[in-house]
Amino acid sequence: MNGKPCASPGIATCWEAIDWQKALAYVKKLQVRIVKAQKEGHYSKVKSLQWLLTHSFYAKALAVKRVTSNQGKRTSGVDHELWLTPQAKWSAISKLNRRGYRPQPLRRHYIPKKNGKMRPLGIPTMTDRAMQTLYKFSLEPIAETYADPNSYGFRIGRSTHDAIEQCFTDLNKGKSPEWILEGDIKGCFDHISHEWLLENISMDTQVLEKWLKCGYVETRKLFPTDEGAPQGGTISPTLMNMTLDGLERLLQERLPTRQKVNGRTHFNKLNFVRYADDFIITGESPEFLRDKVLPVVKEFLTERGLQLSEEKTVITHIEDGFDFLGKNIRKYNGKLLIKPSKTSVKSFLEKVRSIIKGNKSTKQETLIRKLNPVIRGWMNNQQYVVSSKVFSRVDYEIYKCLWQWAKRRHKKKGRKWIAQKYWHHIGSRQWTFSVPYENQSTEGEPLYCKLEYATDTKIIRFKKIVAEANPFDEYWTDYFEEREGEKLLNSTKGREKLLTIWRRQHRRCPVCGELITSETGFKVHTPVGKNSQKIMVHKECHEEIHSLITTFEPGSR
């Protein structure tokens, strides 16, 4: 190892020997101390703790682990380097040194947006991604401490469901505001002022400036980056959040909820909800939003090099409704209902149809395994709103597409024969698109690989996070553990036994030591041997175990 690590690696002499639970505990302890020092106003101590964290062996090892276990682990930067073997990961730890560090240019890549345009991504090298993740460990505690209460995007323990539930809280009453300003920032990531970031972000400015000014490569040409935080960098979402934090507090200071007008108390009904760069602001009238709120928002953004998108920033009445984060929020005869948006339903069905049409000759079981994650993911996203009718329609549309798929395969067969081959009576559902497993049964009844149905998903009310909750503050530790248990229970459809296993493992995966949450997903694994207990592991970790010739519970999630 080059350089002396601040935290001794102990007996770890290779990647496989690292104690990940000890590493996580060490990093979390420093993050908790950073929050405590920040709240007490000991800013010099905050900087010392940040330095200690970014130079520690355990933090560097965790940074390498994070970038080599996510979806981008097989996507390289301009150097075409990947860390796929334990030896490569172990060697990578020694590369994460501040002294002599010089990031390489980003590799420019484009992905399609919903409006047909292309979104530019800047893909850093593996070393730069790991360095960004390392410094993100030290920056996140500060970001969470100063974050706006009703900001929900790219934050630990928060999701779109929290943002939608806050919208319901702000708009569902009879005296709730009726006018909404839908805001959208034009190219937020691409236009953040570098000068503002360097003056206001509490981290090593020399390292930050190197990332901001490293440029990008496109068509073998190097282009400079004079503004923006590149989409694709692991630290960019945190930088974006810190850039926009303060807008909610500024609005409340400039436009207090209660004002005295001609001796009478006047309420402006101002509420603010933000998810990443999309936000809504409520108000008593369109004039209030246009003449008083908009100027404050524009002033705030201009200071940071940003501006609103004119075409996407509109003022809407609640009875006309508006789309926000894949949901449609609207009042019907005075009653607020939140439903899946038409755009969300349409894009979901298009994706399902493309999978079915792209697998015309594949086996039924293979098709089901490709469809189920897509269907399950969309259902989980929509199960907290008024979705029953939409779920019924979705199931019918998928059935029609699958019927055409089956008919095409057997043009000379009748409807009854096709139905009996591909659909079976399972439980209370007469028509279940399924296929029996070979040589597998329970008490004489065959086991089936079956399609997920949206109407089997229970509609439940989402419990919103407490606005002040900070995952790096010791005061909120028990709250986050209890909350994650509730979310995991919902994701397991109320199976208490799984929750018992999860708590027995202290909420962590025995393979990698990382937390198991409803977002990370999990598998149930049964080790070989007598009296062996079932364990919960991450899906990626389960694949590693399975590659070593182990058995697992059939049908486990």
Side-chain angles (χ1 to χ4, degrees), residues 160-161 325-327 340 344 347-349 351-352 355 368-385 387 391 394 398 451-454 457 491 493 518-519 521 539 557:
T160 57
H161 308 307
L325 304 177
K327 313 292 188 295
S344 174
S347 61
F348 165 67
L349 288 175
K351 187 172 184 179
V352 169
I355 292 172
I368 291 172
R369 293 189 184 280
K370 288 186 177 182
L371 287 174
N372 276 349
V374 177
I375 297 171
R376 191 184 303 119
W378 188 81
M379 290 187 311
N380 291 342
N381 186 40
Q382 302 291 354
Q383 70 174 350
Y384 302 107
V385 296
S387 305
F391 281 179
V394 161
I398 295 174
L451 187 74
E452 296 266 359
Y453 283 87
T457 302
S491 71
K493 299 180 180 178
S518 55
E519 282 78 22
K539 293 178 181 178
R557 291 188 55 181

Side-chain angles (χ1 to χ4, degrees), residues 170-171 175-180 269 271 282-284 318 331:
D170 293 339
L171 298 167
K175 295 182 180 181
S176 294
E178 297 182 341
W179 293 94
I180 299 96
K269 299 182 179 181
N271 295 291
T282 67
E284 59 168 346
I318 190 61
K331 269 190 175 178

Side-chain angles (χ1 to χ4, degrees), residues 28 470-471 473-482 507:
K28 184 66 180 288
N470 184 339
D473 191 334
E474 280 186 311
Y475 178 80
W476 296 100
T477 300
D478 293 339
Y479 169 77
F480 275 98
E481 182 173 344
E482 181 183 347
R507 304 181 296 131

Side-chain angles (χ1 to χ4, degrees), residues 103-108 122 210-217 222-226 230:
Q104 297 190 57
L106 307 168
R107 180 167 68 86
R108 180 55 61 97
K210 288 178 181 180
W211 287 333
L212 297 176
K213 303 294 185 183
C214 67
Y216 66 90
V217 173
L222 178 64
F223 296 88
T225 46
D226 300 319

